[in-house]
Amino acid sequence: MHENQGCPPSLSNQGKLRLPKKKSELVDCLLADGTAAQSTRETVNVTIIDGAVAVNMIRPSKETTFEDYALKSFLPYIETQSRLVDRIDVVWDVYVQNSLKHTTRCNRGAGVRRRISASSPIPRNWGEFLRVDENKTQLLKFLAEYLSNHNMEKQVITTVGNQVLSTA
């Protein structure tokens, strides 16, 4: 399968499947295999944003509802990223039950299930809130739909599950 091992080297530990505790553990394996590509282009037309990463980076501060979070924190981040490009693509995770990632998420523990709507209050413990797959699925869907309905100067393309939404 993979020369002399059953699993790719980045996922292998002495020939056995290695389940990383954190995604960042895979970076060392990837960096060891190659060098970072140098960009020779001076212009960029599209920026692709990992929506789940953005949600983990942009933690709520003074926002009280999910609509406040979308309007005061998430959208300004997207608008900032769109300044130098013609189009923004926001891609969201899909949480599949039978996957390696699901096993890793289960090992992190569980939080409290919340119902998400524009007027729902933001939970105090953001990290614990994001540990529940259903919370993330609903939040990511809410933000994707909010983003696609928001009037922006640039074209925004976003995913919602298996669908694609566009502002233009």
Side-chain angles (χ1 to χ4, degrees), residues 73-93:
S73 294
F74 188 74
L75 287 178
Y77 171 77
I78 299 297
E79 287 171 347
T80 301
Q81 299 300 313
S82 71
R83 287 186 185 154
L84 301 174
V85 295
D86 300 325
R87 188 180 92 200
I88 291 280
D89 292 1
V90 183
V91 181
W92 303 94
D93 285 352

Side-chain angles (χ1 to χ4, degrees), residues 109-125:
V112 177
R113 174 75 175 100
R114 298 269 182 140
R115 176 166 289 171
I116 297 168
S117 69
S119 60
S120 298
I122 296 268
R124 291 183 184 167
N125 189 335

Side-chain angles (χ1 to χ4, degrees), residues 49-66:
I49 297 173
D50 183 333
V53 171
V55 166
N56 277 288
M57 286 183 348
I58 308 165
R59 295 183 176 268
S61 55
K62 296 179 183 177
E63 297 85 354
T64 56
T65 65
F66 285 103

Side-chain angles (χ1 to χ4, degrees), residues 22 38 51 54 72 83 87 104 135 140 151:
K22 295 183 268 181
Q38 296 295 324
K72 296 176 183 174
R83 287 186 185 154
R87 188 180 92 200
T104 303
N135 289 346
L140 302 183
N151 223 357

Side-chain angles (χ1 to χ4, degrees), residues 11 17-20 96-105:
L11 299 176
L17 185 61
R18 174 177 143 315
L19 297 176
V96 179
Q97 291 293 320
N98 298 326
S99 68
L100 289 173
K101 285 178 118 180
H102 179 71
T103 304
T104 303
R105 286 192 305 271

